[in-house]
């Protein structure tokens, strides 16, 4: 992923909040919706962007998909951005 794509994925406050919530824990879409107070389609849209950027991991368990922050990808992306400067 380019540094621009990485920065774009981080550039939204809703995505930043989702990443904060998913740090060190697994949450379903419904759990994220309940904690954030935004609509399910909004959360799903932002999770799709975060998944495509590799910033969250998705794990299916039965009918539910649980998300967790991909801390390694976040650290790598931050190092790449810092390296540009």
């Amino acid at each position: 992923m380019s540094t621009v794509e990485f920065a774009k994925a981080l550039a939204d406050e809703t995505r930043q909040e989702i990443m904060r919530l998913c740090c060190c824990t697994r949450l379903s879409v419904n759990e994220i919706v309940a904690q954030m107070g935004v609509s399910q389609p909004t959360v799903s849209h932002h999770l799709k962007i975060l998944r495509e950027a590799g910033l969250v991991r998705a794990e299916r368990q039965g009918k539910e998909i649980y998300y967790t922050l991909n801390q390694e990808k976040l650290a790598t992306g931050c190092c790449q951005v810092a390296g540009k400067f």
Side-chain angles (χ1 to χ4, degrees), residues 42-61:
T42 297
V43 169
S44 293
H45 167 75
H46 289 292
L47 282 169
K48 179 182 180 207
I49 293 168
L50 291 170
R51 275 194 326 267
E52 288 173 352
L55 293 170
V56 293
R57 293 185 177 120
E59 179 184 325
R60 181 174 292 279
Q61 230 177 14

Side-chain angles (χ1 to χ4, degrees), residues 1-20:
M1 166 180 21
S2 76
T3 55
V4 172
E5 292 168 329
F6 176 76
K8 284 182 181 180
L10 293 178
D12 185 88
E13 289 181 18
T14 301
R15 289 193 286 275
Q16 292 173 22
E17 180 65 13
I18 290 170
M19 291 171 60
R20 187 188 68 74

Side-chain angles (χ1 to χ4, degrees), residues 15-27 32 35 47 50 55-57 66-72 74:
R15 289 193 286 275
Q16 292 173 22
E17 180 65 13
I18 290 170
M19 291 171 60
R20 187 188 68 74
L21 290 172
C22 292
C23 183
C24 304
T25 189
R26 293 178 343 133
L27 296 173
I32 295 169
Q35 291 189 41
L47 282 169
L50 291 170
L55 293 170
V56 293
R57 293 185 177 120
Y66 290 89
Y67 296 89
T68 190
L69 181 64
N70 184 345
Q71 295 181 19
E72 295 84 15
L74 179 61

